[in-house]
Amino acid sequence: MSFLQQALLVVATAIVVAFFIPAFYKPSYPVPEVFGTVAPGFEEVKVVFRENYEDNWDNREAGSAFSVYYKGENVVDLWAGFADMEAKRLWKEDTMTVIFSTTKGLTALCAAMLADRGLIDFKKPVAHYWPEFAQHGKEKITVEQLLEHEAGLLATDSPLSYEILTNYTALDKILAETKPKWEPGTRHGYHGITFGPYVDAIVRRVDPEKRSIGKFFDEEVSKPFDIDAYIGAPLELDHRTGRCTNVQERFSDIIYGLRNVEVIRTLILGRIFGGNESGKLNKLMFETCGNICEAGNIFGASGLGGQVGYADPNFHIGYGFVSRYMSPMGIQMYDPRFKRLKDSMMRAIKNLQERP
């Protein structure tokens, strides 16, 4: 079988799995009740949120939430399902979940704030702030190249473990010694796992108080804005956290070096990646976007399994979707759940804008 034939077979299989199986699959659990509110004009969004469960796009045993801020007002705030099916714990208004790479939006926000204060210059080499970084051809890598995923540091050369991830000295040594996978600045490659640790290492060196990015975010963003979101959720919030489904299966072939059971558990509970409520995250996105977005740009990031958090200044909106079900189609626009919700949201906003 030729490469082209193999590629076509993969595409055909993906189409069958994504679009045909849900139509015939008959789940044993009933459609969950949808809680929350929508403002006048956004009623269709609530209908679509329920239809995601009715049409089997969302796992009926899992919980999810969708929230929208429009011109500073929370016009959509919906949730449904279970935060923990085994414990029969329902998803509530204040349930938190792991947002995976959506945390990159929060991380970039911290870097932007430090740049705004004159503490980081994106055009300067990372080694200007972190001399040990200047190894193996990384001397000229700029902060901008690192933030734009052009540094060639998408994976570490040494395996990571829970002990290393929680030990800055050991982690920074591995990060500094890692060799670029290509000539920095010549290519783009998603730094899925390393983006946060590298930016964190810079933040700890330029922040006058030497805070970690998690502490910086908590003290400079979460508390001032009254946002219930974290870069590394504290242990005492575990009881509010939705337990993600099939995380180990989704991550086993994706995360380089992470094979430690405690790491997987930590991922599930949100203590490495960010944890947040959908509504509070989007309040943050809306209120901060005006300070760091150029006209025409959308700020935010999507995360594995279907997590989304964005702000769009063109339409004056902040919006997001979170779910504990790690959908195999769950990456931003490829996730039918989010696409349907976003389409209904945009129809509502355009209808409001067209009114006299």
Side-chain angles (χ1 to χ4, degrees), residues 144-284:
E144 183 176 56
Q145 288 172 334
L146 188 62
L147 291 172
E148 293 185 349
H149 303 260
E150 296 179 351
L153 301 171
L154 68 170
T156 57
D157 291 340
S158 300
L160 301 176
S161 66
Y162 180 76
E163 290 72 25
I164 291 174
L165 288 168
T166 54
N167 182 325
Y168 284 138
T169 300
L171 178 60
D172 287 358
K173 185 174 186 295
I174 288 176
L175 295 174
E177 292 177 350
T178 292
K179 302 178 181 66
K181 304 304 181 286
W182 58 77
E183 182 181 347
T186 63
R187 293 173 56 188
H188 175 278
Y190 185 52
H191 291 43
I193 299 300
T194 57
F195 182 88
Y198 273 114
V199 178
D200 179 36
I202 297 172
V203 169
R204 284 186 275 111
R205 286 163 172 80
V206 303
D207 175 41
E209 299 180 36
K210 307 302 179 185
R211 291 170 289 185
S212 68
I213 197 165
K215 188 173 183 181
F216 181 92
F217 180 81
D218 183 59
E219 295 179 354
E220 300 286 346
V221 181
S222 292
K223 289 177 180 175
F225 282 93
D226 188 27
I227 304 297
D228 198 9
Y230 304 86
I231 299 180
L235 180 64
E236 57 267 25
L237 294 180
D238 278 4
H239 69 285
R240 286 178 47 201
T241 304
R243 269 46 174 181
C244 294
T245 61
N246 63 308
V247 174
Q248 189 158 1
E249 291 82 356
R250 295 284 283 126
F251 267 80
S252 60
D253 296 325
I254 299 174
I255 299 183
Y256 173 81
L258 296 184
R259 296 294 182 268
N260 185 294
V261 173
E262 182 61 22
V263 170
I264 298 298
R265 179 179 180 276
T266 304
L267 289 173
I268 294 172
L269 298 179
R271 290 201 295 275
I272 289 180
F273 290 86
N276 72 281
E277 299 174 42
S278 174
K280 295 295 181 66
L281 172 66
N282 297 304
K283 178 175 182 284
L284 163 67

Side-chain angles (χ1 to χ4, degrees), residues 44-59:
E44 182 194 354
V45 179
K46 186 173 183 178
V47 173
V48 172
F49 187 78
R50 178 179 173 82
E51 287 178 347
N52 276 344
Y53 285 100
E54 291 178 343
D55 298 341
N56 305 321
W57 289 116
D58 218 338
N59 188 320

